[in-house]
Structure formats: structure tokens, C-alpha cells
């Protein structure tokens, strides 16, 4: 019955190595927030500046987060944030771009 006392740390989608990763977790949170903001504001034509800029920054933070990520949990959340940021960025660009209407 010794195997019943050991936790199953192998496998699973959100497997972690048991160590803290504060920088990676911060990049994950920032990328998700920027991605959700960019995706939601992309649905409104007049908010193209907010959508395109948050999408661009979300893509950059997500790409750096992917580069330094350690666990599958971090990579999974970063991919979701990157996808939302990308969609928001491209729709924001289609609606007027990064500087549309300012110059």
C-alpha cells in the first residue's frame, strides 16, 4: 500500500515541477489579460487603437513567455493568450491600425 501514499506527479496537462516561477507566472497573467482585452475590444470598430496595441503587446509578452517557460501549464495559458492577442491585433489592424485616425 506504499504506492497509495505517493502523489502522482508524472503526466497530466497541468503538470508542474514543484518549483516557483514568478517571472513566468507574471508573463502568463499579463499575456492572458492583454489577450482577453484585445479580443473583446476587437469586436467594437471604434476601439481599434486599444485592440491593436494590447494585441501587439500581448503577442510580444506571450512570445517572450514561451521562450522562457518551464512547465506545460505555463505554455498552455500562454498559447491561449497569444491566440486571443493575435486575433485582437489583426482585427484591430483591419479596423484602423495602430495609429488610425490620429494623424
Amino acid at each position: 500500500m506504499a504506492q497509495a501514499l505517493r502523489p502522482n506527479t508524472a503526466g497530466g496537462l497541468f503538470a508542474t515541477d514543484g518549483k516557483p516561477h514568478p517571472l513566468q507566472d507574471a508573463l502568463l497573467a499579463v499575456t492572458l489579460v492583454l489577450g482577453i482585452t484585445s479580443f473583446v475590444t476587437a469586436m467594437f470598430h471604434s476601439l481599434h487603437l486599444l485592440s491593436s496595441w494590447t494585441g501587439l503587446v500581448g503577442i510580444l509578452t506571450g512570445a517572450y513567455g514561451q521562450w522562457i517557460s518551464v512547465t506545460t501549464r505555463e505554455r498552455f495559458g500562454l498559447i491561449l493568450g497569444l491566440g486571443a492577442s493575435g486575433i485582437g491585433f489583426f482585427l484591430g489592424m483591419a479596423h484602423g491600425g495602430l495609429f488610425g485616425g490620429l494623424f
Side-chain angles (χ1 to χ4, degrees), residues 38 47-57 88-89 92-93 97-98:
S38 178
L47 295 177
H48 63 87
L49 289 174
L50 180 62
S51 176
S52 57
W53 280 107
T54 55
L56 180 62
V57 174
F89 174 71
M93 292 300 286
L98 295 169

Side-chain angles (χ1 to χ4, degrees), residues 22-88:
L23 177 61
Q24 289 87 348
D25 291 339
L27 287 171
L28 170 63
V30 168
T31 302
L32 283 174
V33 168
L34 289 171
I36 291 169
T37 303
S38 178
F39 184 78
V40 170
T41 57
M43 304 306 161
F44 303 100
H45 190 281
S46 61
L47 295 177
H48 63 87
L49 289 174
L50 180 62
S51 176
S52 57
W53 280 107
T54 55
L56 180 62
V57 174
I59 290 170
L60 295 175
T61 58
Y64 183 66
Q66 281 285 31
W67 188 43
I68 65 169
S69 66
V70 177
T71 65
T72 303
R73 177 185 60 88
E74 295 162 356
R75 293 183 189 114
F76 181 78
L78 284 167
I79 288 296
L80 292 177
L82 272 167
S85 294
I87 291 171

Side-chain angles (χ1 to χ4, degrees), residues 88-100:
F89 174 71
F90 288 129
L91 287 175
M93 292 300 286
H95 290 160
L98 295 169
F99 301 107

